[in-house]
Amino acid sequence: SQQGEEDPQALSIQEGENATMNCSYKTSINNLQWYRQNSGRGLVHLILIRSNEREKHSGRLRVTLDTSKKSSSLLITASRAADTASYFCATTSVISQGGKLIFGQGTELSVKP
Amino acid sequence: NAGVTQTPKFRILKIGQSMTLQCAQDMNHNYMYWYRQDPGMGLRLIHYSVGAGITDQGEVPNGYNVSRSTTEDFPLRLLSAAPSQTSVYFCASSPGRFESAKNIQYFGAGTRLSVL
């Protein structure tokens, strides 16, 4: 399997704290995306970072990408109970056809009020 | 704008039965995908399509068929249900063209399938 790996598998924090999730992947990529999945729902796109970018921000989200280490991190600042969800990274390989994404196994985030 | 619509939401099948999971999108996206999600396995690609009349296999295609007769619809057929096909199935669509931001995928709410 060429799936990426995410770390940690589960993370529990208090509201107001920051949450950091890491993703590692195996192949050279065109871009890396992060998705969120609330319990019992489909995935929702959060942010995309291209292979020539090192950092990107969107609201309380900060994504970094280190292509030399084949890794990315997602930081959620000032977390809220509503951020409780599973978070997945997904990569598009440079040799991929059809826009296929390779998903990591996800990090389950629990934010306690 | 409904986005990606999947039906049914839940289904219980007996071993050997066949069924079709429906997926429709109203965003005029060229690319469509079927995934299965199992605990600890993330999402795995079953089949995908880059346009009407064009389909291809993903990572785990065995036991499933797809067709794409229109841009809007991408049904997934289970030929003879097996317990190993118990899973949550997600359909997704994308405008396409991976070299830009257009490979962002939009997901349906999923179909939870149990095979007993």
Side-chain angles (χ1 to χ4, degrees):
Chain A
S1 170
Q2 296 192 14
Q3 285 187 331
E5 295 183 2
E6 296 193 51
D7 170 59
Q9 291 188 349
L11 179 61
S12 182
I13 60 175
Q14 296 294 130
E15 222 171 14
E17 294 180 339
N18 295 341
T20 299
M21 290 158 268
N22 303 297
C23 166
S24 61
Y25 56 90
K26 299 179 181 179
T27 63
S28 295
I29 62 171
N30 278 314
N31 63 59
L32 183 144
Q33 303 178 42
W34 285 89
Y35 287 80
R36 183 183 75 195
Q37 183 181 34
N38 290 89
S39 181
R41 308 292 292 271
L43 278 73
V44 175
H45 173 81
L46 293 176
I47 193 167
L48 179 150
I49 186 166
R50 293 184 173 83
S51 59
N52 61 354
E53 297 175 315
R54 291 298 166 257
E55 187 171 313
K56 201 161 184 181
H57 296 256
S58 177
R60 294 183 296 113
L61 304 181
R62 172 178 169 254
V63 170
T64 62
L65 178 65
D66 186 335
T67 54
S68 67
K69 295 181 180 179
K70 291 187 169 58
S71 67
S72 174
S73 67
L74 171 68
L75 169 67
I76 303 174
T77 59
S79 63
R80 306 166 181 166
D83 294 328
T84 294
S86 293
Y87 292 82
F88 295 87
C89 66
T91 55
T92 301
S93 166
V94 294
I95 60 172
S96 173
Q97 295 180 358
K100 289 184 290 185
L101 295 176
I102 301 172
F103 283 88
Q105 295 176 346
T107 292
E108 195 172 320
L109 174 65
S110 175
V111 181
K112 301 186 186 310
Chain B
N1 191 337
V4 179
T5 302
Q6 290 185 239
T7 57
K9 287 185 170 36
F10 305 95
R11 185 74 184 266
I12 297 175
L13 285 181
K14 294 182 179 179
I15 294 172
Q17 286 185 319
S18 61
M19 77 162 293
T20 299
L21 282 68
Q22 302 291 347
C23 175
Q25 54 92 9
D26 61 1
M27 297 174 282
N28 201 33
H29 286 170
N30 288 322
Y31 291 5
M32 295 187 74
Y33 310 86
W34 274 106
Y35 296 92
R36 58 178 290 171
Q37 185 177 33
D38 302 292
M41 301 290 291
L43 276 79
R44 292 183 291 170
L45 184 65
I46 304 171
H47 286 284
Y48 68 102
S49 169
V50 298
I54 307 170
T55 64
D56 206 347
Q57 296 182 349
E59 184 184 353
V60 287
N62 293 341
Y64 308 94
N65 274 354
V66 292
S67 59
R68 183 98 180 269
S69 56
T70 67
T71 299
E72 294 78 21
D73 300 301
F74 191 41
L76 177 72
R77 296 182 186 84
L78 277 68
L79 308 174
S80 177
S84 61
Q85 293 178 307
T86 293
S87 188
V88 182
Y89 291 85
F90 288 99
C91 179
S93 72
S94 165
R97 298 188 62 81
F98 68 90
E99 62 270 35
S100 73
K102 292 184 177 180
N103 78 322
I104 292 170
Q105 294 187 11
Y106 299 79
F107 283 78
T111 295
R112 188 174 296 273
L113 176 68
S114 293
V115 181
L116 305 176

Coordinates of all heavy atoms in Angstrom, one line a residue, chain A residues 40, chain B residues 4-13 18-24 34-35 74-78 87-91 108-114:
Chain A
G40 N -19.8 10.0 11.4 CA -20.9 9.6 10.5 C -21.1 10.4 9.3 O -22.2 10.3 8.7
Chain B
V4 N -22.7 16.2 -3.8 CA -22.7 14.8 -4.1 C -23.7 14.1 -3.2 O -23.7 14.2 -2.0 CB -21.3 14.2 -3.8 CG1 -21.3 12.7 -4.1 CG2 -20.2 14.9 -4.6
T5 N -24.6 13.4 -3.9 CA -25.7 12.7 -3.2 C -25.5 11.2 -3.3 O -25.4 10.7 -4.4 CB -27.1 13.1 -3.8 OG1 -27.2 14.5 -3.7 CG2 -28.2 12.4 -3.0
Q6 N -25.6 10.5 -2.2 CA -25.5 9.0 -2.2 C -26.7 8.4 -1.6 O -27.3 8.9 -0.7 CB -24.3 8.6 -1.3 CG -22.9 8.9 -1.8 CD -21.8 8.3 -1.0 OE1 -21.0 9.0 -0.5 NE2 -21.8 7.0 -0.8
T7 N -27.2 7.4 -2.3 CA -28.3 6.6 -1.8 C -28.0 5.1 -1.9 O -27.3 4.7 -2.9 CB -29.6 6.9 -2.5 OG1 -29.4 6.7 -3.9 CG2 -30.0 8.4 -2.2
P8 N -28.5 4.2 -1.0 CA -29.1 4.6 0.2 C -28.1 5.0 1.3 O -26.9 4.9 1.1 CB -29.8 3.3 0.6 CG -28.9 2.2 0.1 CD -28.3 2.8 -1.2
K9 N -28.6 5.4 2.4 CA -27.7 5.7 3.6 C -27.3 4.5 4.3 O -26.1 4.4 4.8 CB -28.4 6.7 4.5 CG -28.5 8.1 4.0 CD -29.1 9.0 5.0 CE -29.0 10.5 4.6 NZ -29.2 10.8 3.2
F10 N -28.1 3.5 4.4 CA -27.9 2.3 5.1 C -28.4 1.1 4.3 O -29.5 1.3 3.7 CB -28.5 2.2 6.5 CG -28.1 3.4 7.4 CD1 -28.9 4.5 7.5 CD2 -27.0 3.4 8.2 CE1 -28.6 5.6 8.3 CE2 -26.6 4.4 9.0 CZ -27.4 5.5 9.0
R11 N -27.8 0.0 4.4 CA -28.3 -1.2 3.8 C -27.7 -2.4 4.4 O -26.5 -2.5 4.8 CB -28.0 -1.2 2.3 CG -28.6 -2.3 1.5 CD -30.1 -2.1 1.2 NE -30.6 -3.3 0.5 CZ -30.8 -3.4 -0.8 NH1 -30.4 -2.4 -1.6 NH2 -31.3 -4.4 -1.3
I12 N -28.6 -3.4 4.6 CA -28.1 -4.8 5.1 C -28.4 -5.8 4.0 O -29.5 -5.8 3.4 CB -28.9 -5.2 6.4 CG1 -28.6 -4.2 7.5 CG2 -28.5 -6.6 6.8 CD1 -29.4 -4.4 8.8
L13 N -27.3 -6.5 3.6 CA -27.4 -7.5 2.5 C -27.2 -8.9 3.1 O -26.4 -9.0 4.1 CB -26.4 -7.2 1.4 CG -26.7 -6.1 0.5 CD1 -25.5 -6.0 -0.6 CD2 -28.0 -6.2 -0.2
S18 N -26.9 -9.0 -4.6 CA -26.2 -7.9 -5.4 C -27.0 -6.6 -5.1 O -28.2 -6.7 -4.6 CB -26.3 -8.2 -6.9 OG -27.6 -8.3 -7.3
M19 N -26.3 -5.5 -5.3 CA -27.0 -4.3 -5.1 C -26.2 -3.2 -5.8 O -25.0 -3.4 -6.1 CB -27.1 -3.9 -3.6 CG -25.9 -3.4 -2.9 SD -26.2 -2.5 -1.4 CE -27.1 -1.0 -2.0
T20 N -26.8 -2.1 -6.0 CA -26.2 -0.9 -6.6 C -26.2 0.3 -5.6 O -27.3 0.6 -5.1 CB -26.9 -0.5 -7.9 OG1 -26.8 -1.6 -8.8 CG2 -26.2 0.7 -8.5
L21 N -25.1 0.9 -5.4 CA -25.0 2.1 -4.6 C -25.0 3.2 -5.6 O -24.2 3.3 -6.5 CB -23.7 2.1 -3.8 CG -23.6 1.3 -2.5 CD1 -23.6 -0.2 -2.8 CD2 -22.4 1.7 -1.7
Q22 N -25.9 4.2 -5.4 CA -26.1 5.3 -6.3 C -25.3 6.5 -5.8 O -25.1 6.8 -4.6 CB -27.5 5.7 -6.4 CG -28.5 4.6 -6.8 CD -28.3 4.2 -8.3 OE1 -27.6 4.9 -9.1 NE2 -28.8 3.0 -8.7
C23 N -24.7 7.2 -6.8 CA -24.0 8.4 -6.6 C -24.3 9.4 -7.7 O -24.2 9.1 -8.9 CB -22.5 8.2 -6.5 SG -21.5 9.7 -6.3
A24 N -24.7 10.6 -7.3 CA -24.9 11.7 -8.3 C -24.3 13.0 -7.8 O -24.4 13.3 -6.6 CB -26.4 11.8 -8.5
W34 N -15.0 6.2 -6.1 CA -15.6 5.4 -5.0 C -14.6 4.9 -4.1 O -13.5 4.3 -4.5 CB -16.4 4.2 -5.6 CG -17.8 4.5 -6.0 CD1 -18.3 4.6 -7.3 CD2 -18.9 4.7 -5.2 NE1 -19.6 4.9 -7.3 CE2 -20.0 4.9 -6.0 CE3 -19.1 4.6 -3.8 CZ2 -21.3 5.1 -5.4 CZ3 -20.3 4.9 -3.3 CH2 -21.4 5.1 -4.1
Y35 N -14.8 5.1 -2.8 CA -13.9 4.7 -1.7 C -14.7 3.8 -0.8 O -15.9 3.9 -0.6 CB -13.4 5.8 -0.9 CG -12.5 6.8 -1.7 CD1 -13.1 8.0 -2.3 CD2 -11.1 6.7 -1.7 CE1 -12.3 8.9 -2.9 CE2 -10.3 7.6 -2.4 CZ -10.9 8.7 -3.0 OH -10.1 9.6 -3.6
F74 N -22.6 8.0 -11.1 CA -21.5 7.0 -11.1 C -21.9 5.9 -10.1 O -21.4 5.9 -9.0 CB -20.2 7.7 -10.6 CG -18.9 6.9 -10.8 CD1 -18.7 6.1 -11.9 CD2 -18.0 6.9 -9.8 CE1 -17.5 5.4 -12.0 CE2 -16.8 6.2 -9.9 CZ -16.6 5.4 -11.0
P75 N -22.7 4.9 -10.5 CA -23.1 3.9 -9.6 C -22.1 2.8 -9.4 O -21.3 2.5 -10.3 CB -24.3 3.3 -10.4 CG -24.1 3.6 -11.8 CD -23.3 4.9 -11.9
L76 N -22.1 2.3 -8.2 CA -21.2 1.2 -7.8 C -22.0 -0.1 -7.6 O -23.0 -0.1 -6.8 CB -20.4 1.5 -6.5 CG -19.5 0.5 -6.0 CD1 -18.3 0.3 -6.8 CD2 -19.1 0.8 -4.5
R77 N -21.6 -1.1 -8.3 CA -22.4 -2.4 -8.2 C -21.6 -3.4 -7.4 O -20.4 -3.7 -7.7 CB -22.8 -2.9 -9.6 CG -23.7 -2.0 -10.3 CD -24.0 -2.6 -11.7 NE -24.8 -1.6 -12.5 CZ -24.3 -0.7 -13.2 NH1 -22.9 -0.6 -13.3 NH2 -25.0 0.2 -13.9
L78 N -22.2 -4.0 -6.4 CA -21.7 -5.2 -5.7 C -22.3 -6.4 -6.4 O -23.5 -6.6 -6.4 CB -22.0 -5.2 -4.2 CG -21.1 -4.3 -3.3 CD1 -21.3 -2.9 -3.6 CD2 -21.4 -4.7 -1.9
S87 N -18.7 -2.3 5.1 CA -17.9 -1.1 5.1 C -18.8 0.1 5.0 O -20.0 0.0 4.8 CB -16.9 -1.2 3.9 OG -15.9 -0.1 4.0
V88 N -18.1 1.2 5.1 CA -18.8 2.5 4.7 C -18.2 2.9 3.4 O -17.0 3.0 3.2 CB -18.6 3.6 5.8 CG1 -19.3 4.8 5.4 CG2 -19.0 3.1 7.1
Y89 N -19.1 3.2 2.4 CA -18.7 3.6 1.1 C -19.0 5.0 0.8 O -20.0 5.6 1.1 CB -19.5 2.7 0.1 CG -19.2 1.3 0.1 CD1 -19.8 0.4 1.0 CD2 -18.2 0.7 -0.7 CE1 -19.4 -0.9 1.1 CE2 -17.8 -0.6 -0.7 CZ -18.4 -1.4 0.2 OH -18.1 -2.7 0.3
F90 N -17.9 5.7 0.3 CA -18.0 7.1 0.0 C -17.8 7.3 -1.5 O -16.9 6.8 -2.1 CB -17.0 7.9 0.7 CG -17.3 8.0 2.2 CD1 -16.7 7.2 3.1 CD2 -18.2 9.0 2.6 CE1 -17.0 7.3 4.5 CE2 -18.5 9.1 4.0 CZ -17.9 8.2 4.9
C91 N -18.7 8.2 -2.1 CA -18.5 8.7 -3.4 C -17.9 10.1 -3.4 O -18.3 10.9 -2.4 CB -19.8 8.6 -4.2 SG -19.8 9.3 -5.9
G108 N -19.7 12.7 -0.8 CA -21.1 12.4 -0.3 C -21.1 12.0 1.2 O -20.0 11.9 1.8
A109 N -22.3 11.8 1.7 CA -22.4 11.5 3.1 C -22.1 10.0 3.5 O -22.0 9.7 4.6 CB -23.8 11.9 3.6
G110 N -22.0 9.2 2.4 CA -21.7 7.8 2.7 C -22.9 6.9 2.7 O -24.0 7.2 3.0
T111 N -22.6 5.6 2.4 CA -23.5 4.5 2.5 C -22.9 3.4 3.5 O -21.8 2.9 3.2 CB -23.8 3.8 1.2 OG1 -24.5 4.8 0.3 CG2 -24.7 2.6 1.4
R112 N -23.6 3.1 4.5 CA -23.1 2.1 5.5 C -23.8 0.8 5.1 O -25.0 0.6 5.1 CB -23.5 2.5 6.9 CG -22.9 1.6 8.0 CD -23.2 2.2 9.4 NE -22.6 3.5 9.6 CZ -21.4 3.7 10.0 NH1 -20.6 2.7 10.3 NH2 -20.9 4.9 10.2
L113 N -22.9 -0.1 4.7 CA -23.4 -1.4 4.3 C -22.9 -2.6 5.2 O -21.7 -2.6 5.6 CB -22.8 -1.7 2.9 CG -23.1 -3.1 2.2 CD1 -24.6 -3.2 1.9 CD2 -22.3 -3.3 1.0
S114 N -23.8 -3.4 5.5 CA -23.5 -4.6 6.3 C -23.9 -5.8 5.5 O -25.0 -5.9 5.0 CB -24.3 -4.6 7.6 OG -23.8 -3.6 8.5

